[in-house]
Amino acid sequence: MQLDGKAIIVTGGGRGLGRAYSEALAREGAMIVAADIRDTADTVAAIESAGGTAIGLALDVADMASCQAMAERAIAEFGRIDALVNNAALYGDISGGRFDQLPEDQWDRVMTVNVKGIWQCCKACVPALREAGGGSIINISSLAATYGMAYAVDYATSKAAVIGLTRSLARELGRDWIRVNAVAPSAVLTEGTDEFMGEKRDKALQVIAASQSLQSNLETDDLTGTIVYLASDASKFVTGQTIMVDGGTVML
Ligand SMILES: NC(=O)c1ccc[n+]([C@@H]2O[C@H](COP(=O)([O-])OP(=O)(O)OC[C@H]3O[C@@H](n4cnc5c(N)ncnc54)[C@H](O)[C@@H]3O)[C@@H](O)[C@H]2O)c1
């Protein structure tokens, strides 16, 4: 298995894509820390019933002390941290709107959770990645960052910031052989997407699929291969990149 013996933290691992990443990484032999502001019991149960190893813990990425506690708990449990998947974000938990009508507190909260939250998780975990002799940080961006997204200017801006953060951190941490990459998915039908798109969901998914070269909406497991690849040594010389898993919509 590609990830045997590696300890990997997945933020936002309680549901949706974070849960799918956690399960896929565990199938490759990784020991998983599923951390979320929501309950993570279902993720842990699914991994354990498939014979894998996982713990779940409560995390608020907006709170540095909570990020620090997550890193400490991972080390206490597994002795090391080899990879960090920064997947937690305000997505399903926010609603869209015209750019001039978005509530100011929503704008601030989106930047805090989606951008500062990644910075804080990196600050908490990088010392352990260094200690392990290197590792992989995978930041979840979005097609919204590179294509733009009307009526979600706060969300799209935060996901574009994730790409800048990824490139700068890749340059800064290369000397420690810590690779930092971003993954930018097209729309996938998750609970989060259902909540985010609301009644416009079906129409929006149709339009998105039609703008892809591969004209079909992605399913959750269409993303997991890229996450496993970036966490593994198969991507040993890949850093600072944004991998679009978008069926060929934006071609970087
Ligand atoms: N589903 C899609 O179509 C799609 C497309 C592109 C990018 N993404 C990104 O993928 C990721 C997962 O999306 P999803 O579809 O599973 O939706 P989601 O809304 O269920 O995922 C967000 C996760 O982050 C958690 N979270 C929110 N605030 C948090 C906080 N302060 N601290 C810790 N955890 C927190 C939520 O509880 C949830 O589990 C998000 O980063 C999202 O922006 C999703």
Side-chain angles (χ1 to χ4, degrees):
M1 289 195 284
Q2 295 184 68
L3 301 173
D4 244 344
K6 290 193 191 286
I8 302 184
I9 296 177
V10 181
T11 71
R15 72 171 192 174
L17 293 174
R19 177 174 165 179
Y21 300 155
S22 300
E23 290 186 38
L25 293 163
R27 280 196 295 274
E28 289 298 329
M31 304 174 288
I32 301 298
V33 177
D36 203 312
I37 207 160
R38 285 189 165 77
D39 186 45
T40 53
D42 287 351
T43 303
V44 172
I47 291 173
E48 287 180 343
S49 70
T53 304
I55 59 165
L57 51 88
L59 166 72
D60 180 359
V61 296
D63 174 8
M64 185 62 209
S66 177
C67 300
Q68 199 62 48
M70 169 185 75
E72 282 164 16
R73 177 79 198 286
I75 293 161
E77 199 73 32
F78 298 130
R80 54 192 293 131
I81 303 172
D82 297 287
L84 166 67
V85 183
N86 283 308
N87 165 78
L90 290 181
Y91 171 57
D93 293 310
I94 52 171
S95 40
R98 278 178 45 172
F99 84 96
D100 52 355
Q101 285 171 14
L102 291 170
E104 190 177 339
D105 64 340
Q106 177 171 304
W107 175 278
D108 291 343
R109 183 90 189 126
V110 167
M111 298 307 153
T112 300
V113 173
N114 296 11
V115 186
K116 186 179 174 192
I118 293 185
W119 174 56
Q120 298 200 138
C121 288
C122 290
K123 281 200 291 176
C125 295
V126 160
L129 292 172
R130 278 201 187 105
E131 183 87 0
S136 174
I137 296 175
I138 302 164
N139 297 327
I140 305 303
S141 177
S142 169
L143 173 62
T146 48
Y147 191 83
M149 193 175 197
Y151 310 112
V153 83
D154 50 353
Y155 176 74
T157 303
S158 75
K159 290 297 184 177
V162 170
I163 295 176
L165 189 160
T166 297
R167 290 176 177 166
S168 301
L169 213 51
R171 294 204 184 274
E172 196 165 329
L173 298 180
R175 72 194 61 185
D176 299 308
W177 213 279
I178 297 171
R179 301 179 297 102
V180 190
N181 292 287
V183 175
S186 183
V188 188
L189 182 52
T190 60
E191 263 177 274
T193 296
D194 204 32
E195 293 162 6
F196 184 73
M197 294 182 173
E199 61 188 21
K200 299 196 173 75
R201 187 195 76 182
D202 291 346
K203 178 73 184 150
L205 288 174
Q206 235 176 18
V207 169
I208 290 167
S211 65
Q212 297 175 188
S213 301
L214 306 167
Q215 295 192 339
S216 169
N217 289 126
L218 278 74
E219 303 204 358
T220 305
D221 274 334
D222 295 328
L223 286 162
T224 54
T226 304
I227 302 294
V228 169
Y229 163 71
L230 287 174
S232 78
D233 294 339
S235 56
K236 185 176 171 195
F237 267 89
V238 178
T239 194
Q241 303 305 308
T242 298
I243 302 188
M244 309 297 305
V245 187
D246 67 358
T249 308
V250 171
M251 300 184 187
L252 297 179

